[in-house]
């Protein structure tokens, strides 16, 4: 047969079985349901959309994964079925490239245009840097030249590479390095995301980046919100400057610190997790002790960090530094289309989709909070997962916060239960650990709450974080970003910390928890701020 296909007796049986299913569907006169309330009369058509899309044999979700396919394959939609995951799945078939089985519905664009049906001379745009152009549709083809991000090309034809499973586009373009035509793999072009992306409320400078993310992660969704009804971008920067935002004065670079903290690199003290979000001033003496922060000046706080002597000093942040760390566009997508781990500071703190005990364990793996909680018979990771789920908050955000507070492998006075005068009391979230005696104040608060076991402290701290931040009807701080950048009546307000780096550190930990689940099959929701009167170009790193 063509293209080197041979059929064993077993394959012939499978082939005829598939053909009987197809013929039955072709002569079926009832409707086949597609997205939402849309009906397809007889059979429908669609196009695969995504990378390494799983094809399940026999049943959605639980069926054996027999194939991983890429974007651009035209398929016939034979039927629709709700899987055990509650999602809609399509039974699809394609003769060539061969595809047969169940694919989750958000990886199929109904009515889309297959790669081989794209119009000749249609404009297509390179969406990555240093993309190689080859003399044939294969990674083994000779490299002719490279094209930069944004290069406009004209489509000539699509060729399917059986070895890699990708389509390649033959394109022509303005002469570069003596070359004006060649083959480029299809996933290096901007995608027509169609119904897979809803960018309502986002300006063009956002949608360009979000569409790149959707190309790699088509199941991700995004919601825009205005961080302040009274401040535009410039006003928000001024408010953060007035609140006393801080950055490191000297020492290890930000990128190295983030990498070291996430990976547990021994070259950086794990105590840095305690240090990075220091709040210096005492809480308002007249403030309700249950109230987490003083208003406006950013100096009070229920979380007062112990400053390690191993780490550099802090200094007040410049406005350029504030502009850089506050602008979401700087932390969305890498040049290769993969997500920037800092993007997880926008993940919805009320959504536990994809979270597992193993993920919590990964976040806490470089701290003292590993294994079984002494005298409890529960693991730290299991307790954090179950208690977070009870409160309907994302356990990875909780674990990341615990890691920030107590990152040392040996623990510290607030969670070791051995501090003189407060033996047997624990404060895993450093609540009320402020003023000139943060350890005493934090343990005094723990004693007042009856936190005389580690489990009680973790449970009470999660309840506090959920009620005062993530689920609060007053503050609505349900992302790591909102807990750092928050406003009321023209001022920075109810902010968890003063460090500009803090949400990035915690986001890296959250990303580490999701780990291998950050792929084209994942489905996460992100809440992203859009300030009024933002500049067209984000601030570069100062």
């Amino acid at each position: 047969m063509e293209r080197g296909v041979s059929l064993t007796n077993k394959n012939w049986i499978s082939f005829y079985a598939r053909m009987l299913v197809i013929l039955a569907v072709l002569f079926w006169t009832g409707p086949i349901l597609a997205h939402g309330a849309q009906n397809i009369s007889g059979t429908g058509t669609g196009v695969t959309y995504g990378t390494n899309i799983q094809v399940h044999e026999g049943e959605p979700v639980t069926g054996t994964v027999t194939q991983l396919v890429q974007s651009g394959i035209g398929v016939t939609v034979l039927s629709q079925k709700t899987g055990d995951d509650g999602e809609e799945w399509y039974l699809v078939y394609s003769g060539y490239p061969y595809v047969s089985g169940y694919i989750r519905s958000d990886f199929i664009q109904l009515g889309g245009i297959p790669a081989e049906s794209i119009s000749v001379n249609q404009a297509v745009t390179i969406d990555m840097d240093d993309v190689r152009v080859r003399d044939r549709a294969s990674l083994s083809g000779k490299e002719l030249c490279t094209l930069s991000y944004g290069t406009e090309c004209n489509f000539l034809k699509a060729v399917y590479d059986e070895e890699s499973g990708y389509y390649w586009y033959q394109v022509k373009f303005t002469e570069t390095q003596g070359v004006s035509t060649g083959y480029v793999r299809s996933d290096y072009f901007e995608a027509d995301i169609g119904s897979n992306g809803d960018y309502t409320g986002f300006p063009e400078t956002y949608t360009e980046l979000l569409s790149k993310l959707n190309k790699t992660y088509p199941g991700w969704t995004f919601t825009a919100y205005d961080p302040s009804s009274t401040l535009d971008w410039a006003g928000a920067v001024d408010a953060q400057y007035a609140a006393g935002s801080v950055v490191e004065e000297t020492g290890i670079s930000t990128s190295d610190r983030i990498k070291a903290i996430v990976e547990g690199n021994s070259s950086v003290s794990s105590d840095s997790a305690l240090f990075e979000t220091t709040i210096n001033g005492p809480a308002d003496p007249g403030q309700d002790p249950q109230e987490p922060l003083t208003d406006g000046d950013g100096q009070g706080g229920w979380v007062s960090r112990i400053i390690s002597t191993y780490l550099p000093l802090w200094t007040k942040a410049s406005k350029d530094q504030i502009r850089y760390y506050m602008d979401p566009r700087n932390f969305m997508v890498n040049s290769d289309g993969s997500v920037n781990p800092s993007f997880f500071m926008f993940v919805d703190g009320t959504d536990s989709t994809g979270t597992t005990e193993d993920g919590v364990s990964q976040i806490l793996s470089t701290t003292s909070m590993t294994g079984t909680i002494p005298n409890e018979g529960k693991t730290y990771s299991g307790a954090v997962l179950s208690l977070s789920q009870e409160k309907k908050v994302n356990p990875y955000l909780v674990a990341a916060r615990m890691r920030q507070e107590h990152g040392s492998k040996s623990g510290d006075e607030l969670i070791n239960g051995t501090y003189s005068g407060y033996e047997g009391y624990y404060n895993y979230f450093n609540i009320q650990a402020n003023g000139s005696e943060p350890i005493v104040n934090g343990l005094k608060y723990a004693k007042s709450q009856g936190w005389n076991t580690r489990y009680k402290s973790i449970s009470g701290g999660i309840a506090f974080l959920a009620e005062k931040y993530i689920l609060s009807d007053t503050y609505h701080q349900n992302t790591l970003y909102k807990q750092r950048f928050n406003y009321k009546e023209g001022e920075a307000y109810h902010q968890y910390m003063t460090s500009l780096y803090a949400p990035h550190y915690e986001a890296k930990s959250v990303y580490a928890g999701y780990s291998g689940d950050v792929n084209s099959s994942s489905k996460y929701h992100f809440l992203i701020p859009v300030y009024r009167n933002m500049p067209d170009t984000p601030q570069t790193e100062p």
Side-chain angles (χ1 to χ4, degrees):
M1 298 181 70
E2 288 186 333
R3 301 186 180 96
V5 178
S6 61
L7 297 177
T8 63
N9 289 337
K10 182 178 180 180
N11 286 336
W12 274 113
I13 294 172
S14 177
F15 173 77
Y16 280 122
R18 292 189 186 102
M19 291 305 297
L20 287 172
V21 171
I22 294 167
L23 289 172
V25 173
L26 288 174
F27 287 99
W28 168 250
T29 59
I32 296 177
L33 297 180
H35 278 294
Q38 181 180 359
N39 291 323
I40 301 176
S41 179
T43 58
T45 60
V47 178
T48 56
Y49 178 86
T51 57
N52 294 324
I53 305 166
Q54 295 181 353
V55 182
H56 294 254
E57 184 178 47
E59 288 291 331
V61 187
T62 58
T64 302
V65 176
T66 57
Q67 294 177 266
L68 295 176
V69 299
Q70 314 303 330
S71 287
I73 300 174
V75 297
T76 298
V77 179
L78 303 176
S79 64
Q80 179 178 354
K81 186 174 184 178
T82 302
D84 292 345
D85 57 354
E87 301 291 340
E88 296 304 311
W89 292 69
Y90 293 147
L91 178 62
V92 302
Y93 176 81
S94 169
Y96 186 82
Y98 177 74
V99 180
S100 180
Y102 283 97
I103 293 179
R104 208 173 69 195
S105 61
D106 52 332
F107 295 110
I108 299 292
Q109 287 186 323
L110 296 178
I113 301 175
E116 295 184 23
S117 299
I118 297 174
S119 300
V120 175
N121 287 324
Q122 178 172 321
V124 289
T125 305
I126 299 289
D127 75 344
M128 297 182 188
D129 286 322
D130 299 322
V131 172
R132 294 177 175 87
V133 179
R134 301 185 184 274
D135 67 346
R136 56 194 176 91
S138 170
L139 287 175
S140 60
K142 179 183 177 181
E143 182 180 332
L144 302 177
C145 65
T146 58
L147 299 178
S148 59
Y149 171 78
T151 301
E152 294 287 341
C153 306
N154 290 103
F155 175 88
L156 298 178
K157 67 177 180 180
V159 178
Y160 184 69
D161 175 25
E162 294 185 358
E163 182 177 357
S164 67
Y166 283 91
Y167 272 103
W168 290 68
Y169 294 167
Q170 185 185 31
V171 293
K172 60 182 178 181
F173 43 86
T174 302
E175 185 171 315
T176 302
Q177 302 164 28
V179 177
S180 59
T181 187
Y183 290 89
V184 176
R185 211 170 72 179
S186 61
D187 55 324
Y188 292 135
F189 293 92
E190 288 185 357
D192 176 11
I193 60 170
S195 60
N196 289 78
D198 179 3
Y199 307 134
T200 303
F202 291 106
E204 185 176 351
T205 55
Y206 278 68
T207 59
E208 291 175 355
L209 300 170
L210 296 177
S211 65
K212 287 184 180 181
L213 285 175
N214 262 154
K215 181 177 180 181
T216 306
Y217 314 104
W220 291 11
T221 56
F222 316 106
T223 298
Y225 72 92
D226 183 352
S228 171
S229 60
T230 60
L231 294 174
D232 66 0
W233 172 252
V237 170
D238 289 342
Q240 293 297 334
Y241 186 76
S245 297
V246 296
V247 292
E248 290 176 288
E249 184 173 11
T250 60
I252 302 169
S253 70
T254 303
S255 59
D256 286 345
R257 282 178 59 82
I258 291 174
K259 185 174 185 293
I261 289 170
V262 171
E263 297 179 358
N265 190 324
S266 60
S267 66
V268 177
S269 169
S270 58
D271 288 342
S272 58
L274 301 178
F275 166 79
E276 57 202 272
T277 56
T278 302
I279 299 176
N280 298 315
D284 183 342
Q287 190 175 7
D288 181 342
Q290 293 289 333
E291 189 67 15
L293 286 181
T294 57
D295 296 345
D297 64 3
Q299 294 300 309
W302 68 270
V303 180
S304 177
R305 310 297 195 270
I306 302 168
I307 302 180
S308 166
T309 57
Y310 303 107
L311 296 163
L313 299 175
W314 292 95
T315 188
K316 185 171 182 177
S318 70
K319 287 190 176 182
D320 279 351
Q321 289 171 319
I322 293 170
R323 291 185 188 102
Y324 176 74
Y325 285 102
M326 198 167 74
D327 193 329
R329 296 171 295 180
N330 285 322
F331 306 100
M332 289 188 178
V333 62
N334 298 322
S335 60
D336 64 355
S338 63
V339 66
N340 183 320
S342 288
F343 188 66
F344 277 82
M345 67 179 137
F346 307 117
V347 74
D348 188 347
T350 65
D351 185 3
S352 296
T353 300
T355 58
T356 65
E357 184 175 344
D358 285 343
V360 175
S361 180
Q362 173 64 31
I363 294 172
L364 299 176
S365 62
T366 58
T367 74
S368 64
M369 296 169 284
T370 59
T372 302
I373 303 173
N375 306 314
E376 292 291 347
K378 303 179 180 70
T379 63
Y380 281 99
S381 55
V384 170
L385 181 71
S386 61
L387 290 168
S388 298
Q389 289 174 339
E390 287 176 14
K391 289 297 181 181
K392 301 187 185 307
V393 297
N394 188 319
Y396 290 176
L397 269 65
V398 171
R401 184 61 47 82
M402 294 173 70
R403 188 176 189 274
Q404 291 287 93
E405 308 294 353
H406 305 286
S408 172
K409 195 70 174 175
S410 59
D412 57 65
E413 291 93 335
L414 281 160
I415 62 171
N416 286 343
T418 57
Y419 194 81
S420 179
Y422 294 92
E423 291 86 353
Y425 288 96
Y426 309 87
N427 191 335
Y428 275 88
F429 288 83
N430 288 5
I431 300 172
Q432 292 295 322
N434 52 32
S436 59
E437 294 185 293
I439 296 173
V440 171
N441 291 339
L443 291 174
K444 186 181 294 184
Y445 180 80
K447 189 173 183 178
S448 74
Q449 300 300 304
W451 293 349
N452 57 357
T453 70
R454 289 176 169 85
Y455 185 81
K456 287 180 182 178
S457 175
I458 294 170
S459 177
I462 291 174
F464 187 93
L465 182 62
E467 293 162 12
K468 295 293 184 178
Y469 285 85
I470 299 174
L471 303 180
S472 170
D473 290 334
T474 302
Y475 306 115
H476 308 286
Q477 291 173 283
N478 53 350
T479 69
L480 296 175
Y481 184 95
K482 289 183 180 182
Q483 292 171 26
R484 173 57 187 85
F485 300 105
N486 196 54
Y487 307 90
K488 181 180 180 180
E489 297 176 355
E491 294 183 340
Y493 172 74
H494 197 261
Q495 297 190 151
Y496 184 89
M497 68 286 284
T498 55
S499 167
L500 290 177
Y501 308 148
H504 300 274
Y505 290 137
E506 292 186 323
K508 303 289 182 179
S509 295
V510 171
Y511 175 82
Y514 285 107
S515 187
D517 292 325
V518 178
N519 54 44
S520 64
S521 297
S522 58
K523 299 187 73 173
Y524 307 130
H525 184 60
F526 300 86
L527 309 170
I528 308 172
V530 177
Y531 297 82
R532 287 172 289 113
N533 301 319
M534 294 182 77
D536 291 336
T537 303
Q539 170 73 46
T540 57
E541 185 172 10

